[in-house]
Amino acid sequence: GVDLQVCTSKNPTCCTKKMEERYQIAAKQDMQQVLQTSSATLKFLISRNAAAFQETFEMLIRLAENYTSTLFCNAYRNMAAEAAVHVQEFFTDVGLFLFGTDASTEEFVNRFFDTLFPVVYNHVINPGPTDIALEYAECLRAARRDIRPFGNIPKKAVGQMARSLLPSRTFLQALNLGVEVINTTEHLHFSRECRRALLRMQYCPHCQGLALSKPCLGYCLNIIRGCLANVAEVDLHWQGYIQALEELSGALSGAHGIEHVLLNFHSLVHSALVQAQINGPELSEQVNKICGPPVRKPKQSPGCSFDQNKDNQVLKMFSRDSEQTLTNRRKEFIRHLRPYRAFYSGLADQLCVNELAAADGLPCWNGEDLVRSYTHRVVGSGIKAQSANPEVKVKGTDPVISQIIDKLKHVIQV
């Protein structure tokens, strides 16, 4: 093979140009395989926890909805069916917000109390033999924030929901981003320079019949640090990301924790209803001033349609220790994640030492020959260090990696 591009040598060679091309594809695939294997455990750790936390949050929302519907069934049976619709809407909004929709907690908490007011007025404040008409109910809904039938409870609920839902939502988003970072770095685009260097390191010795030789450690480090120069730039931000996750996780428990706030929402609703009941006469007067006397239509309030037994066994088991379980699960997750803080700074070294390079003291391949040791200078990690790399030329930054770094910076800020 006189027309070889990379595996040229003084010694006779048993490679053709066609073989060299196939070896180049193999070298690139090998490298991708090694990258994927090295990040598999980390990726599984994050994706498994992202799924588990999402499932737990879904369970919490269902449980909180059950508690709230049960409150109406037990204490306000005559309006339970009407209230159930609004309760369901409210917890759907909670779920949408938690799993990433752009909604405002203030907006959906207020919407819940707005829609609840006409129902409470009809059954608790000014009950009559018939129901209030739709237009009248609409007037009540619009006037709720001025009349303040539930005192400062809605404001309290807004504060609690914002404080507890936003950190949990951020936590989930951060975990999903972690998986995206790993997917990006394990499906790297290798430059032509890098692909040729990998071919020279892994398969050119075969052309000289040295099929069992492995590269010298220093030689391997130069090539892999060159090929992963852009990935090494992720390191600083990855460390910041894990630290931010750790801090956020610590702030998720206690009185502002999502478990506490969601599972006690029904007691806030109960306080709101009691307050409306106590101030009934004054509220009636205010309503008359704003909306006029009640306009009624034939009564059609069915009783309680909520099936309390459905789900409840599963949910009961879950609720007993949910707060403890969630806190422990978060701590456990962070404990397992901590050792991966320096994952990107040590990646090239880990690949060479554990997978690719020859063991210490054995003859090794230096790109041209089998030698006792590698004599060129070994460069550090990251893009700046590569200007002195004797094996690989590194040109500028990879836009895909720059983009993932920007996402990490953003989530750390959030």
Side-chain angles (χ1 to χ4, degrees):
V2 285
D3 50 357
L4 296 178
Q5 299 286 301
V6 180
C7 298
T8 52
S9 75
K10 302 185 285 291
N11 312 333
T13 173
C14 55
C15 285
T16 61
K17 189 159 193 266
K18 196 93 200 120
M19 280 168 73
E20 191 183 48
E21 282 163 12
R22 278 163 53 197
Y23 272 146
Q24 175 142 18
I25 292 165
K28 180 185 149 196
Q29 284 171 344
D30 289 353
M31 184 61 191
Q32 262 163 346
Q33 187 62 56
V34 168
L35 268 180
Q36 279 166 29
T37 310
S38 67
S39 55
T41 325
L42 173 59
K43 185 161 132 181
F44 179 65
L45 172 69
I46 300 178
S47 57
R48 190 191 60 206
N49 275 282
F53 283 117
Q54 171 140 352
E55 196 182 331
T56 308
F57 290 157
E58 282 165 6
M59 196 76 134
L60 266 177
I61 292 169
R62 268 171 55 207
L63 187 57
E65 185 180 332
N66 275 14
Y67 280 6
T68 312
S69 299
T70 305
L71 161 77
F72 283 103
C73 281
N74 293 345
Y76 301 92
R77 203 169 182 80
N78 57 345
M79 63 167 166
E82 279 177 82
V85 180
H86 306 308
V87 170
Q88 195 179 6
E89 270 173 11
F90 172 73
F91 284 103
T92 301
D93 284 335
V94 168
L96 287 171
F97 177 81
L98 202 50
F99 303 128
T101 318
D102 261 346
S104 132
T105 40
E106 184 173 1
E107 211 169 285
F108 67 73
V109 173
N110 275 318
R111 185 162 59 235
F112 170 69
F113 286 105
D114 290 348
T115 52
L116 194 59
F117 181 40
V119 184
V120 174
Y121 178 83
N122 193 22
H123 293 281
V124 176
I125 297 169
N126 195 347
T130 54
D131 283 340
I132 52 172
L134 276 177
E135 294 78 27
Y136 196 75
E138 192 47 50
C139 177
L140 290 174
R141 206 180 64 73
R144 195 275 302 172
R145 295 179 205 196
D146 296 328
I147 296 173
R148 299 186 65 233
F150 306 123
N152 69 340
I153 304 277
K155 193 177 175 192
K156 193 174 170 186
V158 166
Q160 286 187 3
M161 284 292 161
R163 262 206 308 268
S164 73
L165 294 181
L166 189 60
S168 294
R169 164 192 170 121
T170 308
F171 189 71
L172 274 184
Q173 283 174 336
L175 294 192
N176 291 326
L177 176 65
V179 175
E180 191 186 332
V181 171
I182 298 161
N183 278 338
T184 305
T185 55
E186 69 179 20
H187 292 100
L188 263 189
H189 168 71
F190 295 117
S191 68
R192 178 169 175 269
E193 278 281 337
C194 164
R195 291 197 305 271
R196 292 176 72 134
L198 288 172
L199 164 63
R200 191 178 309 115
M201 176 177 91
Q202 280 178 283
Y203 288 107
C204 285
H206 292 209
C207 298
Q208 296 184 31
L210 304 168
L212 296 176
S213 74
K214 285 184 134 189
C216 306
L217 181 59
Y219 176 54
C220 178
L221 285 173
N222 275 339
I223 288 180
I224 304 300
R225 283 176 179 172
C227 285
L228 298 185
N230 276 285
V231 174
E233 299 294 320
V234 174
D235 171 53
L236 183 68
H237 309 286
W238 180 256
Q239 296 201 35
Y241 160 78
I242 290 186
Q243 189 176 342
L245 257 185
E246 213 171 309
E247 286 165 15
L248 178 62
S249 172
L252 283 174
S253 5
H256 302 325
I258 185 171
E259 313 87 321
H260 189 79
V261 169
L262 285 182
L263 297 183
N264 287 295
F265 181 72
H266 66 99
S267 56
L268 268 188
V269 174
H270 190 227
S271 307
L273 296 173
V274 169
Q275 192 143 352
Q277 222 163 347
I278 294 169
N279 302 325
E282 290 163 43
L283 291 172
S284 278
E285 270 180 45
Q286 278 180 284
V287 166
N288 283 351
K289 278 184 199 152
I290 297 175
C291 299
V295 181
R296 297 191 173 272
K297 59 175 184 165
K299 205 169 195 64
Q300 50 177 27
S301 296
C304 181
S305 63
F306 170 67
D307 176 6
Q308 282 169 268
N309 297 326
K310 191 184 68 179
D311 288 350
N312 267 13
Q313 281 339 91
V314 184
L315 294 171
K316 277 281 182 305
M317 277 164 50
F318 168 77
S319 79
R320 208 169 318 123
D321 330 303
S322 71
E323 211 158 321
Q324 213 31 55
T325 317
L326 250 175
T327 306
N328 288 345
R329 184 179 275 167
R330 271 193 300 260
K331 279 186 185 151
E332 197 59 6
F333 167 59
I334 295 295
R335 193 170 66 76
H336 283 116
L337 190 60
R338 220 174 271 136
Y340 289 99
R341 211 174 235 189
F343 177 74
Y344 284 108
S345 65
L347 189 55
D349 307 47
Q350 187 199 329
L351 297 183
C352 286
V353 174
N354 297 349
E355 305 270 347
L356 304 168
D360 227 11
L362 291 179
C364 55
W365 173 255
N366 70 356
E368 287 168 6
D369 246 319
L370 220 47
V371 292
R372 298 296 306 159
S373 66
Y374 181 69
T375 51
H376 290 299
R377 169 186 176 181
V378 178
V379 299
S381 292
I383 291 178
K384 276 207 182 81
Q386 302 315 307
S387 56
N389 193 328
E391 308 298 345
V392 193
K393 293 260 177 296
V394 176
K395 299 187 185 89
T397 52
D398 177 341
V400 178
I401 297 288
S402 302
Q403 197 177 10
I404 208 76
I405 287 175
D406 286 343
K407 287 185 180 184
L408 278 172
K409 283 181 184 167
H410 174 70
V411 89
I412 291 168
Q413 251 179 334
V414 174

